């Protein structure tokens, strides 16, 4: 899926060490899916089985992409967008329920996250070409077609209707997390007891390395991208990061992130990185983006509604903030 304004940067690396002690092998493959990099790691009884299961993971992600991509014209989501303001479109139950969850999340964040952000005009440029801020009028106009309350769902017919012509929905801020969760569950159902699926920094892991140790996840230092600021263990759960250290502009001494608030059209300010840990990558994905938009105070208040999830925030001036329920004991950051 094409990356949108709510682009997710890759802040994590998997640090794999140790050899098999239980006749298990580890295989890893990197490929391009959903418009971004996917790193797939599978632990299985032999190399052939591991490689075959990686093939199945890739096939599943491709299947999901073909359903929810907003740039492939024949996908169901594209059909919904093409018929905005015209008629409802019947979609698979999977697409309907993903949209339903996205709307619920939009409501929980009071529009800080909005599944209809795909209709936002791209008036902010983060390629060095901007010399001044867009006008207030242009910013307001850029979000005229954004508004999750104008999405009409019919559960009986399994249809989605966008009320305004020009509206769009997109899963750039949820799709990779959703896909990684689906693949983890698929592998567990097959008896594959350990692996990692990392979709452009939206990562879900299960089980342990062949040597019996937890997976070690290296977190990139946003102020020194060639270095790690922490290594955290992960065995059954997900971690996602949203950040802006590579794409931002500065006007009058204030730093404006490439992550845009879909309710206002203004870029997020104050935070350069938010990492969220929890059981589900889809939810963690939505939370990390939303916390960037909402900022430290409102973001932490939102997180309280999701007690199974914790976060680490890094402010623009280098302050590190952990949610009160953050309990990773081996977390020893160095910024």
């Amino acid at each position: 899926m094409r990356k949108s304004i709510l682009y997710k940067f890759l802040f994590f690396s998997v640090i794999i060490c140790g050899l098999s002690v239980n006749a298990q092998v580890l295989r890893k493959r990197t490929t391009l899916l959903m418009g971004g990099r996917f790193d797939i790691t599978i632990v299985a009884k032999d190399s052939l089985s591991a490689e075959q299961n990686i093939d199945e993971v890739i096939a599943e992600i491709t299947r999901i992409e073909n359903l929810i991509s907003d740039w492939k014209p024949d996908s169901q989501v594209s059909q919904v967008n093409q018929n905005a303001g015209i008629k409802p479109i019947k979609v698979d139950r999977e697409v309907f329920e993903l949209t339903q969850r996205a709307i619920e999340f939009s409501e929980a964040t009071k529009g800080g996250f909005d599944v209809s952000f795909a209709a936002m005009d791209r008036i902010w440029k983060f390629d060095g070409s901007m010399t001044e801020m867009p006008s207030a009028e242009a910013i307001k106009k850029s979000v005229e077609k954004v508004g999750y309350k104008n999405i009409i769902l019919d559960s009986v017919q399994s249809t989605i209707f966008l009320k305004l012509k020009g509206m769009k929905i997109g899963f750039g801020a949820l799709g990779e997390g959703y896909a990684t969760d689906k693949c983890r569950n698929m592998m567990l159902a097959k008896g594959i007891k350990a692996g990692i699926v990392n979709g452009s920094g939206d990562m879900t892991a299960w089980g342990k390395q062949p040597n019996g140790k937890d997976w070690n996840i290296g977190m990139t230092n946003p102020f020194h991208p060639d270095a790690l600021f922490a290594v955290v263990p992960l065995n059954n759960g997900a971690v996602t990061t949203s950040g802006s250290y590579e794409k931002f502009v500065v006007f009058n001494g204030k730093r404006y992130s490439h992550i845009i608030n879909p309710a206002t059209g203004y870029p997020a300010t104050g935070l350069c990185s938010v990492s969220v840990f929890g059981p589900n990558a889809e939810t963690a994905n939505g939370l990390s983006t939303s916390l960037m938009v909402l900022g430290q105070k409102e973001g932490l208040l939102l997180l309280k509604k999701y007690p199974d999830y914790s976060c680490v925030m890094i402010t623009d001036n280098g302050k590190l903030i952990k949610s009160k329920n953050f309990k990773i004991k081996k977390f020893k950051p160095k910024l």
Side-chain angles (χ1 to χ4, degrees):
M1 182 187 300
R2 183 185 58 196
K3 298 301 179 185
S4 65
I5 286 180
L6 299 181
Y7 185 88
K8 311 285 289 187
F9 278 98
L10 179 64
F11 284 86
F12 296 109
S13 57
V14 182
I15 302 168
I16 298 171
C17 59
L19 299 175
S20 171
V21 294
N22 296 310
Q24 291 181 311
V25 299
L26 180 151
R27 289 292 180 268
K28 179 179 177 180
R29 197 184 306 171
T30 298
T31 188
L32 186 66
L33 295 162
M34 302 181 96
R37 171 176 166 168
F38 268 75
D39 296 293
I40 303 161
T41 303
I42 293 292
V43 177
K45 61 182 180 180
D46 55 59
S47 297
L48 178 60
S49 175
E51 294 292 348
Q52 287 175 338
N53 281 289
I54 290 175
D55 289 339
E56 289 190 29
V57 167
I58 291 173
E60 175 67 359
I61 297 168
T62 301
R63 182 192 69 81
I64 293 169
E65 180 180 11
N66 288 335
L67 282 176
I68 68 173
S69 167
D70 60 0
W71 66 272
K72 292 191 172 186
D74 56 348
S75 77
Q76 292 187 8
V77 166
S78 288
Q79 293 299 311
V80 169
N81 293 342
Q82 291 163 16
N83 285 278
I86 301 172
K87 64 180 181 179
I89 296 297
K90 188 175 182 63
V91 297
D92 289 0
R93 200 68 195 176
E94 179 180 7
V95 177
F96 182 90
E97 291 177 353
L98 178 60
T99 306
Q100 193 172 44
R101 292 195 301 274
I103 292 174
E104 290 170 357
F105 206 82
S106 301
E107 292 173 342
T109 61
K110 298 178 182 178
F113 172 93
D114 195 316
V115 67
S116 66
F117 74 92
M120 193 185 304
D121 292 335
R122 309 304 196 246
I123 63 171
W124 294 89
K125 308 295 181 184
F126 299 93
D127 56 5
S129 64
M130 286 186 72
T131 58
E132 61 182 5
M133 286 183 63
S135 68
E137 182 181 355
I139 293 170
K140 183 179 179 180
K141 183 175 175 56
S142 72
V143 293
E144 280 183 346
K145 299 296 175 65
V146 178
Y148 66 91
K149 292 182 180 180
N150 289 316
I151 303 171
I152 308 300
L153 301 182
D154 184 330
S155 182
V156 175
Q157 299 297 324
S158 191
T159 61
I160 303 173
F161 177 52
L162 308 182
K163 289 173 65 176
L164 305 179
K165 203 164 182 64
M167 274 190 76
K168 296 178 182 179
I169 57 173
F171 293 98
L174 289 181
E176 287 89 350
Y178 171 69
T180 63
D181 288 335
K182 287 281 287 185
C183 292
R184 174 195 59 195
N185 295 339
M186 181 178 72
M187 289 293 101
L188 284 169
K190 285 193 62 184
I192 300 300
K193 296 180 180 179
I196 294 179
V197 183
N198 180 3
S200 300
D202 296 332
M203 183 183 299
T204 186
W206 67 101
K208 296 177 181 287
Q209 298 185 62
N211 63 2
K213 294 183 178 180
D214 291 338
W215 302 104
N216 289 317
I217 308 302
M219 302 176 69
T220 298
N221 188 327
F223 302 107
H224 303 283
D226 57 344
L228 300 178
F229 82 89
V231 176
V232 296
L234 190 69
N235 55 32
N236 288 294
V239 55
T240 71
T241 288
S242 293
S244 63
Y245 71 81
E246 289 184 340
K247 288 191 176 184
F248 60 91
V249 291
V250 178
F251 293 123
N252 299 320
K254 189 171 184 178
R255 189 174 182 275
Y256 293 88
S257 160
H258 77 288
I259 297 178
I260 309 295
N261 184 333
T264 66
Y266 282 86
T269 60
L271 298 173
C272 67
S273 173
V274 176
S275 299
V276 174
F277 298 79
N280 178 289
E282 178 189 327
T283 301
N285 190 332
L287 283 170
S288 60
T289 300
S290 299
L291 268 58
M292 277 289 296
V293 168
L294 296 175
Q296 175 185 338
K297 183 178 178 180
E298 293 298 321
L300 290 175
L301 286 174
L302 170 68
L303 199 64
K304 287 183 178 181
K305 299 178 182 178
Y306 299 85
D308 292 334
Y309 294 81
S310 60
C311 80
V312 174
M313 299 175 170
I314 302 174
T315 67
D316 288 344
N317 60 12
K319 183 180 179 181
L320 189 141
I321 300 155
K322 295 183 289 184
S323 60
K324 289 183 178 180
N325 64 340
F326 186 82
K327 297 178 180 178
I328 298 177
K329 295 180 180 179
K330 294 183 180 180
F331 183 73
K332 297 179 180 179
K334 292 182 180 180
L335 284 174

